Amino acid sequence: MFQTAPIEAASQSELTSQMAARLHTALTTHLQQAYAPDQRKNLRLFSATETADLLGVTGQFLRKCHSEGLLPEPEVIKNGRRFYSGKEILQARHFLEASSRKPGKYLPGRREGDKLQVIQLMNFKGGSAKSTSAIHLCHYLALSGYRVLAIDLDPQGSLTGFCGIQTELEFEGASIYDALRYDDAVPMSEAVVETYFPGLHLAPARLVLSEFETETAVNAGRGVAFFEKLSLAIQSVESDYDVVVIDSPPALGFLTLTGLYAATSVIVPMTPSMLDLASTQQFVEMTSAYLGVIEDTGVKLDHDFFSFLITRDDPSDIPSQQIVSLMRALFQDRVVGATGLRSTAIGDASMLKMSIYEVARSEMTRSTYDRAKNSMDAVGAEIAGMLQQAWGR
């Protein structure tokens, strides 16, 4: 039961302390109920129709593969219908890729000579759906057969929560801060954990990550190149991944800048409103100034793409569509063609720290679900195409 009695405190610090305690109790109770009995998230099963769609094959082809023994039977078969786990879908990709005449058809990730793709999502305007966009991109790419590393650079840990690690509850092990700190940093491999989502690993964030800002300010006077910290950490594990997705804090501080230096590509999520447009203008202007400072040290930054992503798009809202049209007129192909729609399905999933890919279609109004998922699929497919283009394909 949550406390409902009025809070009485002798001082402001005591008042805020009691508020924090009540919130912690409420969050802990909610999370324990959401992830009971072991407080761990699990990925749902996918129907044969969904699995065929994910693999890019027909249901008939999938059935044929099973009948000919090319694919092992899934563990769960109900009433003669096959249901696949995320791990089984990933295994199917490996089986099919091995016999495919077209390299990369089922495993579209890096090939020999391809550089690791590092995508940073950044904007200092809160409410831009940055973390929501990041987790949907991670899940889309992982389900498509890419080996994905998510790096949470936001001390609030939103992406970490989406990946099944609750910063509100204590968790053991190293975080991204431990790989970035100036004293006694651990190898990046020790800061990376597997998630419940096959194909997706995570370098989680804790609140202590905010200390990186203070430590960098102190060490900057000693000539330490802070902006190389994340890049060097990623280099030590790059052979294990095709794509890295970085979720930055909503601020243009040292954490965002070290991510910007490590990134091969940048995506700026923004909602289509005049307020957000003005904020994004200021953000890009400040980014330009900071990039100039880094480049003045002799470092050459060259991003494969620097693009805007329209989020929470409502096609029926005329003023917002005017902003969308303005952005496309100003930046043309630097605005991702697909948009993340404003959707109750995505909002409801986010409330449970889930992406639309983790929700079964039967759990929502089908038209609402389809509209939301098609939107996220379109965004993911376009960004995946940009990755393939960066690899020269």
Side-chain angles (χ1 to χ4, degrees), residues 69-236:
L70 298 177
L71 291 178
E73 290 289 345
E75 185 175 336
V76 177
I77 300 178
K78 300 178 182 178
N79 299 322
R81 299 175 61 192
R82 299 181 178 93
F83 291 86
Y84 301 76
S85 68
K87 184 177 180 180
E88 288 170 333
I89 293 174
L90 187 57
Q91 290 173 339
R93 286 190 178 278
H94 284 275
F95 279 117
L96 293 173
E97 180 70 20
S99 59
S100 175
R101 297 178 181 178
K102 182 180 178 182
K105 181 176 181 179
Y106 299 101
L107 292 172
R110 296 165 68 193
R111 303 175 196 170
E112 186 175 353
D114 291 341
K115 70 177 181 180
L116 177 71
Q117 292 295 312
V118 182
I119 305 174
Q120 174 161 6
L121 284 84
M122 53 185 280
N123 197 330
F124 66 18
K125 177 68 170 64
S128 63
K130 178 175 53 60
S131 296
T132 301
S133 300
I135 193 60
H136 278 88
L137 179 59
C138 287
H139 285 177
Y140 176 87
L141 293 174
L143 285 172
S144 298
Y146 293 86
R147 299 172 302 162
V148 184
L149 171 62
I151 298 180
D152 194 349
L153 282 188
D154 188 346
Q156 297 179 78
S158 296
L159 186 62
T160 299
F162 271 122
C163 289
I165 297 178
Q166 306 311 317
T167 54
E168 298 88 349
L169 306 175
E170 289 299 320
F171 66 92
E172 299 179 356
S175 68
I176 186 61
Y177 169 73
D178 297 293
L180 297 180
R181 66 191 184 199
Y182 289 86
D183 297 322
D184 302 319
V186 305
M188 182 65 164
S189 58
E190 294 184 17
V192 173
V193 296
E194 288 190 35
T195 72
Y196 65 95
F197 208 102
L200 175 62
H201 289 183
L202 169 73
R206 284 174 167 158
L207 191 58
V208 70
L209 179 58
S210 59
E211 292 295 318
F212 181 79
E213 299 285 344
T214 304
E215 293 172 5
T216 298
V218 171
N219 284 275
R222 303 173 186 172
V224 178
F226 78 90
F227 49 83
E228 296 181 341
K229 299 283 286 182
L230 183 60
S231 178
L232 293 174
I234 291 174
Q235 286 177 23
S236 66

Side-chain angles (χ1 to χ4, degrees), residues 344-384:
T344 56
I346 295 173
D348 290 348
S350 296
M351 285 287 289
L352 297 174
K353 296 191 175 181
M354 300 169 69
S355 76
I356 195 67
Y357 298 107
E358 298 177 85
V359 181
R361 187 169 181 253
S362 59
E363 296 175 8
M364 294 183 175
T365 303
R366 293 190 173 186
S367 59
T368 302
Y369 177 88
D370 290 344
R371 182 170 172 268
K373 183 176 178 295
N374 290 342
S375 165
M376 293 296 101
D377 282 347
V379 171
E382 188 166 347
I383 294 176

Side-chain angles (χ1 to χ4, degrees), residues 175-354:
S175 68
I176 186 61
Y177 169 73
D178 297 293
L180 297 180
R181 66 191 184 199
Y182 289 86
D183 297 322
D184 302 319
V186 305
M188 182 65 164
S189 58
E190 294 184 17
V192 173
V193 296
E194 288 190 35
T195 72
Y196 65 95
F197 208 102
L200 175 62
H201 289 183
L202 169 73
R206 284 174 167 158
L207 191 58
V208 70
L209 179 58
S210 59
E211 292 295 318
F212 181 79
E213 299 285 344
T214 304
E215 293 172 5
T216 298
V218 171
N219 284 275
R222 303 173 186 172
V224 178
F226 78 90
F227 49 83
E228 296 181 341
K229 299 283 286 182
L230 183 60
S231 178
L232 293 174
I234 291 174
Q235 286 177 23
S236 66
V237 296
E238 68 172 311
S239 61
D240 297 326
Y241 304 102
D242 304 313
V243 185
V244 175
V245 176
I246 302 172
D247 185 25
S248 302
L252 197 55
F254 295 124
L255 283 167
T256 299
L257 292 175
T258 192
L260 188 61
Y261 178 82
T264 59
S265 303
V266 175
I267 293 177
V268 180
M270 62 166 288
T271 56
S273 72
M274 189 56 70
L275 183 62
D276 284 79
L277 183 63
S279 176
T280 300
Q281 182 273 325
Q282 295 173 359
F283 171 74
V284 174
E285 185 175 351
M286 290 179 63
T287 300
S288 174
Y290 281 117
L291 286 175
V293 172
I294 294 176
E295 289 175 343
D296 286 344
T297 66
V299 174
K300 186 179 186 302
L301 294 174
D302 184 19
H303 294 123
D304 291 323
F305 54 88
F306 193 113
S307 304
F308 296 95
L309 171 64
I310 304 298
T311 61
R312 295 180 177 168
D313 182 26
D314 183 355
S316 65
D317 187 313
I318 295 176
S320 72
Q321 293 310 297
Q322 291 174 337
I323 300 295
V324 174
S325 297
L326 175 61
M327 288 295 294
R328 297 198 188 283
L330 290 173
F331 300 109
Q332 299 174 36
D333 60 351
R334 288 194 178 274
V335 180
V336 177
T339 64
L341 296 181
R342 181 186 296 275
S343 169
T344 56
I346 295 173
D348 290 348
S350 296
M351 285 287 289
L352 297 174
K353 296 191 175 181
M354 300 169 69

Side-chain angles (χ1 to χ4, degrees), residues 8-47:
E8 297 181 2
S11 67
Q12 191 67 29
S13 61
E14 186 178 339
L15 173 66
T16 54
S17 176
Q18 290 185 43
M19 288 178 171
R22 287 194 181 188
L23 284 170
H24 181 268
T25 300
L27 286 168
T28 300
T29 302
H30 169 73
L31 293 170
Q32 287 174 340
Q33 291 174 345
Y35 301 133
D38 60 359
Q39 295 183 10
R40 292 181 62 86
K41 288 181 72 176
N42 292 295
L43 183 58
R44 68 178 177 89
L45 297 175
F46 294 83
S47 68

